[in-house]
Amino acid sequence: MVMFESEADLIATIAQHDALVRQCVAGELSFFDFCEKYNDFYAYWALDGHESDEEERTLLEKHDSLIEPHRVIAYEILGKLCSDEDAKLDSYINAGRFGSAEAMKRLANVRVGA
């Protein structure tokens, strides 16, 4: 193990971040507070396995269905996010960027805790 102490630690960490997604979608947490607390979860914890040993990569593969929503959040939502002001500019729109309102809509479509 490299990033996680155990399989239970991996599952608990995912569950904590699932809860942040649900709280944000439910309006219990603002989008900006969500971003701060979520802390780019997929990349920060290297859920793609690039920092993991073989044992941990096996666990990541085993729990891929729990991890996949966070990959979507990282690449399809947070990775395309820009400031709300910039989101109004044609150059950003043409580049596929969007602001917090659109990010919230997309986040609401992500199903965590599969």
Side-chain angles (χ1 to χ4, degrees), residues 56-97:
E56 192 168 79
R57 277 192 297 275
T58 299
L59 283 179
L60 293 173
E61 288 174 16
K62 178 180 178 182
H63 297 289
D64 184 62
S65 65
L66 298 176
I67 295 168
E68 178 61 14
H70 297 284
R71 186 199 64 74
V72 170
I73 292 168
Y75 290 111
E76 301 301 321
I77 300 172
L78 298 179
K80 296 181 179 183
L81 184 66
C82 66
S83 72
D84 289 340
E85 185 174 304
D86 287 342
K88 298 172 189 172
L89 302 174
D90 287 339
S91 58
Y92 282 80
I93 294 167
N94 293 336
R97 301 293 190 163

Side-chain angles (χ1 to χ4, degrees), residues 14-104:
I14 293 169
Q16 291 169 350
H17 289 82
D18 288 351
L20 291 173
V21 173
R22 285 192 290 273
Q23 289 168 3
C24 183
V25 170
E28 299 166 7
L29 189 63
S30 76
F31 181 73
F32 298 103
D33 287 341
F34 163 76
C35 288
E36 183 177 317
K37 292 178 184 214
Y38 190 76
N39 193 27
D40 201 10
F41 175 54
Y42 186 83
Y44 185 83
W45 286 93
L47 294 176
D48 64 356
H50 78 272
E51 292 187 19
S52 299
D53 59 15
E54 188 174 330
E55 175 187 18
E56 192 168 79
R57 277 192 297 275
T58 299
L59 283 179
L60 293 173
E61 288 174 16
K62 178 180 178 182
H63 297 289
D64 184 62
S65 65
L66 298 176
I67 295 168
E68 178 61 14
H70 297 284
R71 186 199 64 74
V72 170
I73 292 168
Y75 290 111
E76 301 301 321
I77 300 172
L78 298 179
K80 296 181 179 183
L81 184 66
C82 66
S83 72
D84 289 340
E85 185 174 304
D86 287 342
K88 298 172 189 172
L89 302 174
D90 287 339
S91 58
Y92 282 80
I93 294 167
N94 293 336
R97 301 293 190 163
F98 46 79
S100 62
E102 179 63 25
M104 278 294 297

